[in-house]
Amino acid sequence: MATIIDGKAYAARLRAEIGLQVRTLREQHFVTPGLAVILVGEDPASQIYVRNKANQAREAQMSSFEYRLAYGVPEEQLLELIERLNQDPAVHGILVQLPLPPQVDPERVINAIRPDKDIDGFHPLNVGALATGGKGIVPCTPLGCLMLLKHHLGDLSGLHALVLGRSNIVGKPMASLLLKENCTVTIAHSRTRDLQAECQRADILVAAVGQPRLVAGHWIKPGATVIDVGINRIEEAGKALLVGDVDFDLARDVAGAITPVPGGVGPMTIACLLLNTLEAACRQNGIAFPGNIMQAAWGSVEGS
Ligand code: GUN
């Protein structure tokens, strides 16, 4: 039976540690990290995410600024708001919730965010920094996945990692991070010929395709570490269910460790968003970032 990687507990620890650091920052440097979240339209899932982000920012003692724009908002108006936030010294991180309505070009929006306030890590400068091994802001979901992997496995060097999915938000940055950790990395996607064979080779499997239970139990290499990024809403036997991209019930008999859905990667994403905001606030004020924050958060979880 696989170890269940409790992302919810890890994320809670990380948030508590971030909260302590935020307090120190305020007391010693008179800086309160500020997170601005922009939501365009009324997509119910996005509304829940945005509410969670704002609540957790406040719980971590940060300032939270929320902007809700109508679905039909002209692109120009959104760009003007971003420019105002770029110049606002109380705002250290700007997040525009995706997806955006069709009249708004997401590339133009992402490019408009000041790179040092781009706590999503989506701006080309941050993407480039990650790809070239430079210092930039790393996208939250892959960062959360990497933390869980390193916490569970320690050194990832030489392991064969399969990233299932090639999105800019998860798949591609995840592959870059794993490569940086000296994994042998394969990226699989919808056109991959023999997905099962690719999965069976992987010591680490990160699934991020948004297809409910795509990865069958027998596809998994015995003992592998499985990180399930999928959050799929399905209906089964008349019941609404939230399931991942991996068939959890069967996979847990084969894998060495696996993240559940919900309660795995999801909570880590928001914790990492807060971490990126804290780091951005430090950098923008010329303050050294408390580099041992992860160790402090992790140290007492499983004594590793
Ligand atoms: N929509 C789904 N995931 C994300 C994310 O990580 N960042 C933003 N901005 N929007 C999202």
Side-chain angles (χ1 to χ4, degrees), residues 49 53 95-99 120 122 140-141 169 269:
Y49 291 141
K53 284 167 187 166
L95 180 145
V96 181
Q97 184 68 30
L98 302 175
D120 259 326
F122 294 166
C140 307
T141 300
I169 295 184
T269 295

Side-chain angles (χ1 to χ4, degrees), residues 69-234:
L69 306 180
Y71 185 80
V73 70
E75 184 183 82
E76 209 45 48
Q77 204 173 314
L78 175 57
L79 294 176
E80 278 168 24
L81 172 59
I82 291 171
E83 190 44 38
R84 192 147 55 80
L85 297 172
N86 278 343
Q87 291 176 24
D88 185 342
V91 172
H92 305 98
I94 302 169
L95 180 145
V96 181
Q97 184 68 30
L98 302 175
L100 289 162
Q103 80 278 10
V104 180
D105 177 0
E107 198 177 324
R108 208 171 293 157
V109 168
I110 289 165
N111 288 352
I113 299 172
R114 231 175 75 175
D116 62 340
K117 293 193 176 187
D118 164 44
I119 34 94
D120 259 326
F122 294 166
H123 190 284
L125 266 183
N126 287 317
V127 175
L130 179 59
T132 56
K135 191 122 188 65
I137 300 176
V138 176
C140 307
T141 300
L143 182 58
C145 294
L146 184 70
M147 284 184 191
L148 293 178
L149 281 169
K150 286 188 75 157
H151 176 69
H152 186 72
L153 290 170
D155 184 16
L156 309 183
S157 195
L159 296 178
H160 195 135
L162 177 72
V163 178
L164 197 42
R166 55 176 158 179
S167 71
N168 290 336
I169 295 184
V170 185
K172 286 186 210 155
M174 188 75 241
S176 295
L177 284 173
L178 290 166
L179 197 56
K180 231 171 153 176
E181 295 296 325
N182 302 310
C183 289
T184 302
V185 183
T186 303
I187 305 178
H189 45 77
S190 53
R191 307 279 175 90
T192 294
R193 288 246 169 86
D194 191 346
L195 195 51
Q196 179 173 342
E198 296 296 342
C199 289
Q200 275 163 343
R201 254 199 299 275
D203 305 304
I204 293 171
L205 198 161
V206 180
V209 277
Q211 287 192 44
R213 297 180 184 141
L214 171 74
V215 178
H218 66 279
W219 288 16
I220 293 168
K221 180 177 177 179
T225 304
V226 178
I227 305 289
D228 193 349
V229 182
I231 300 178
N232 307 293
R233 281 159 225 281
I234 62 163

Side-chain angles (χ1 to χ4, degrees), residues 6-19 22 35 49 52-57 59-60 62 95 119 138-145 147-148 264-279 289 293-294 297-298:
D6 189 349
K8 200 172 157 189
Y10 293 176
R13 278 225 95 97
L14 184 54
R15 288 200 309 272
E17 188 57 33
I18 291 167
V22 169
L35 169 65
Y49 291 141
N52 284 342
K53 284 167 187 166
N55 286 343
Q56 294 189 18
E59 275 168 30
M62 296 186 178
L95 180 145
I119 34 94
V138 176
C140 307
T141 300
L143 182 58
C145 294
M147 284 184 191
L148 293 178
V265 173
M268 288 299 292
T269 295
I270 301 187
C272 288
L273 182 73
L274 303 181
L275 186 65
N276 281 352
T277 306
L278 169 62
E279 192 165 1
F289 180 67
I293 190 164
M294 248 77 75
W298 285 172

